[in-house]
Amino acid sequence: MMDSAAGNPSTLVICCGAIANEIVTIIRANGWDHMKVECLPAKLHNQPDALPEGVRAKIRSGRARGEEVIVLYSDCGTGGAMARVLEEEGVENIGGSHCYEVFTGSEPFKALMEDEPGSFFVTDFLARHFEKLVFNGLGLDRFPKLRDVYFGKYRRMVYLVQRENAENLARAEAAADSIGLDLEVRHTGYGGFQKFLETK
Amino acid sequence: MSIQEIYDAVLEYEEEDVAELVQAEVDAGTDIEKILNEGLISALDVVGEKFSAGTLFVPEMLMAAEAVQAGLEIVRPLLVDKGAKAIGTVVLGTVKGDLHDIGKNLVGMMFEGAGFKLIDLGTDVDPEEFISAAQENDADLILLSGLLTTSMPEMEKAVAAIRKANENRNLNVKTMVGGPPVNAEFAAKIGADGYSIDAPTAVDDARAFMAAGI
Ligand code: B12
């Protein structure tokens, strides 16, 4: 658990570990002291089946403590199960397929995919942790020959930048290089996450 | 030299060994179907079970699948030569906008292993490509895979187009959908004829379709 600020937060923001840093930054920058952040581990990405019930449990424990609840999960590959849980629990849905789409906005994301279906996306978080989460996570450290099995049909890595940072950029370049893709950089800022929280 | 060694080599991810061992069995005149079923496919079954049980992960499963693929490459032309009659023809692909193909490839291998003729259209496949491949090959079944949330509406479009082609373009083909975001309820909603949770079940279900005389 990460408290965003001192005081006595009355609103619980539930999100993925992969965007926690960004969400805490938004909350601090805006001085929303009533919000605190709790996340599910980023690695659940790869087991989307576990996400909806994990989110439900967090919603219920927040409510049991008398907190307002905000959830920043998209569908994230749950095939509509996340939306059902949010509806059952009466929590507003931020929408979208995954965080990449929320960062860029739906129409720009669609355009990026139409422009090049072989696009692989990274965020600040993934650029920083690419080696551990993506490269090693896919077993490319142990089985280098799988690189083409995974990425053979991909043409470019699109780095969606939340906050300009030379080190992250260098990491994204190295990441793209390690899987043999060209790098394209797009500045998105906090996109839909910022906008959604502003309405709260 | 034995079939058991092929099986073991798959489980040890020894792609080159698998190819050599399969070739040696072929040269020794071992029944092709025995090599296929007892060596390659049964090993892949075990891998699939471990994967579903969460004791083996995507990279290991892929390594095993690559090893099976190397064996299949050797066996495939021989099955054709032997004139083994396919039990049915399936067209397979990942729907438009989606490039995930690991699950699809496993499904393909299982169907080939089970004696179906396989037309694999790859990834990012248009509804029209499914339809023309089914027409050209007189297919019995179209298998649509998808991993992304956005693949669900694409599946719906493809299934609708295929059903329409069944009605007015002289096609007679069933559809089966699969992949983690979809389930039987979704399949029924979009009018697909079937859904299966994994590759071995899909093969069983397809056999049942064939037996029902579609
Ligand atoms: C490996 C993987 C990748 C690999 C894909 C490599 C490849 N060549 O396919 C890489 C790393 C390249 C990748 C890329 C992306 N991925 Co990906 N990926 C996965 C991951 C971890 C595993 C998928 C997999 O291969 N599983 C193993 C196979 C064997 O299982 P399977 O596909 O489920 O198949 C079995 C059954 O479903 C069934 N089946 C499958 N197809 C069919 C068809 C029929 C007819 C039948 C009957 C059965 C059937 O049988 C199979 C075997 O038994 C999943 C998470 C997950 N656990 O599902 C995310 C996941 C699918 N990816 C996801 C995302 C977001 C992406 C990216 C957009 C990420 C990015 N950073 O850019 C890109 C896609 C971009 C694009 N242009 O398409 C999300 C989807 C979220 C969503 N809302 O849509 C997931 C769910 C992860 C997540 N929670 O974020 N990915």
Side-chain angles (χ1 to χ4, degrees), chain B:
Chain B
M1 180 182 88
S2 69
I3 303 262
Q4 181 68 34
E5 283 180 64
I6 298 177
Y7 178 96
D8 292 341
V10 170
L11 297 182
E12 283 157 18
Y13 323 133
E14 298 293 351
E15 183 177 334
E16 280 163 24
D17 290 358
V18 170
E20 277 170 26
L21 288 162
V22 168
Q23 189 62 56
E25 287 293 338
V26 168
D27 294 344
T30 310
D31 180 40
I32 308 284
E33 274 159 37
K34 192 168 170 193
I35 303 176
L36 189 61
N37 293 324
E38 293 173 24
L40 299 171
I41 299 299
S42 60
L44 198 57
D45 272 334
V46 172
V47 169
E49 278 163 25
K50 287 191 181 167
F51 180 69
S52 303
T55 55
L56 181 144
F57 302 98
V58 172
E60 287 73 22
M61 197 212 45
L62 263 183
M63 288 299 289
E66 289 290 294
V68 169
Q69 190 64 53
L72 270 179
E73 305 278 322
I74 297 170
V75 172
R76 191 181 293 126
L78 304 173
L79 280 173
V80 175
D81 287 352
K82 219 177 122 194
K85 190 161 163 18
I87 55 178
T89 300
V90 294
V91 169
L92 170 69
T94 304
V95 296
K96 193 146 190 50
D98 195 340
L99 261 63
H100 289 88
D101 62 1
I102 298 172
K104 170 191 78 65
N105 293 343
L106 271 190
V107 169
M109 266 184 242
M110 286 288 191
F111 272 84
E112 267 197 298
F116 283 84
K117 181 175 170 201
L118 174 73
I119 319 291
D120 187 345
L121 301 178
T123 55
D124 191 23
V125 180
D126 240 270
E128 197 51 42
E129 288 174 65
F130 280 115
I131 293 169
S132 38
Q135 279 171 328
E136 278 160 30
N137 297 283
D138 196 16
D140 303 294
L141 187 59
I142 299 181
L143 302 165
L144 305 106
S145 179
L147 278 271
L148 297 171
T149 311
T150 44
S151 299
M152 297 169 75
E154 291 301 333
M155 269 183 193
E156 185 166 2
K157 273 188 226 160
V159 168
I162 295 163
R163 285 170 65 103
K164 208 159 150 213
N166 273 340
E167 271 164 35
N168 46 30
R169 284 167 61 187
N170 201 17
L171 188 69
N172 182 17
V173 67
K174 299 261 180 200
T175 51
M176 189 191 277
V177 295
V182 304
N183 55 27
E185 193 190 332
F186 173 78
K189 194 188 113 205
I190 65 168
D193 300 296
Y195 157 80
S196 302
I197 187 143
D198 58 19
T201 320
V203 170
D204 290 344
D205 292 348
R207 281 205 188 97
F209 273 141
M210 299 306 299
I214 55 166

Side-chain angles (χ1 to χ4, degrees), chain A:
Chain A
M1 193 169 92
M2 248 181 287
D3 282 344
S4 64
N8 197 7
S10 56
T11 301
L12 173 64
V13 179
I14 300 169
C15 70
C16 173
I19 57 167
N21 223 325
E22 284 66 31
I23 302 306
V24 170
T25 307
I26 301 173
I27 291 173
R28 288 210 176 123
N30 288 280
W32 293 328
D33 292 346
H34 61 294
M35 292 188 187
K36 67 170 180 181
V37 177
E38 274 186 28
C39 25
L40 297 178
K43 64 172 197 285
L44 283 186
H45 252 93
N46 290 343
Q47 291 149 261
D49 281 355
L51 288 174
E53 290 309 318
V55 167
R56 194 200 301 274
K58 287 226 175 277
I59 294 174
R60 291 196 173 169
S61 49
R63 288 213 170 127
R65 294 189 298 262
E67 294 158 359
E68 289 283 318
V69 172
I70 299 173
V71 174
L72 299 179
Y73 271 95
S74 294
D75 181 67
C76 304
T78 63
M82 185 67 79
R84 273 195 298 281
V85 164
L86 295 182
E87 203 183 321
E88 283 160 18
E89 298 296 322
V91 176
E92 191 184 344
N93 188 337
I94 188 170
S97 297
H98 36 57
C99 58
Y100 316 106
E101 184 181 332
V102 180
F103 278 127
T104 57
S106 286
E107 285 309 314
F109 188 81
K110 230 163 113 191
L112 279 167
M113 286 296 279
E114 269 163 22
D115 181 36
E116 174 52 84
S119 301
F120 184 78
F121 298 89
V122 295
T123 55
D124 286 355
F125 174 84
L126 277 183
R128 269 198 311 276
H129 302 292
F130 185 85
E131 189 173 344
K132 180 162 166 255
L133 290 181
V134 182
F135 198 84
N136 299 352
L138 293 172
L140 291 173
D141 50 343
R142 286 168 290 146
F143 308 119
K145 65 165 293 234
L146 291 182
R147 184 177 102 168
D148 287 348
V149 180
Y150 285 117
F151 291 105
K153 297 207 177 74
Y154 288 78
R155 295 290 162 259
R156 66 174 181 189
M157 180 182 282
V158 183
Y159 175 21
L160 307 174
V161 180
Q162 281 74 61
R163 204 162 36 159
E164 306 276 354
N165 173 310
E167 195 189 323
N168 286 348
L169 181 60
R171 288 189 178 211
E173 275 161 0
D177 199 47
S178 73
I179 54 171
L181 300 180
D182 290 336
L183 185 71
E184 197 176 308
V185 180
R186 290 268 173 136
H187 189 90
T188 67
Y190 300 114
F193 292 110
Q194 164 96 25
K195 290 197 195 105
F196 190 74
L197 285 173
E198 276 168 3
T199 66
K200 297 291 157 189

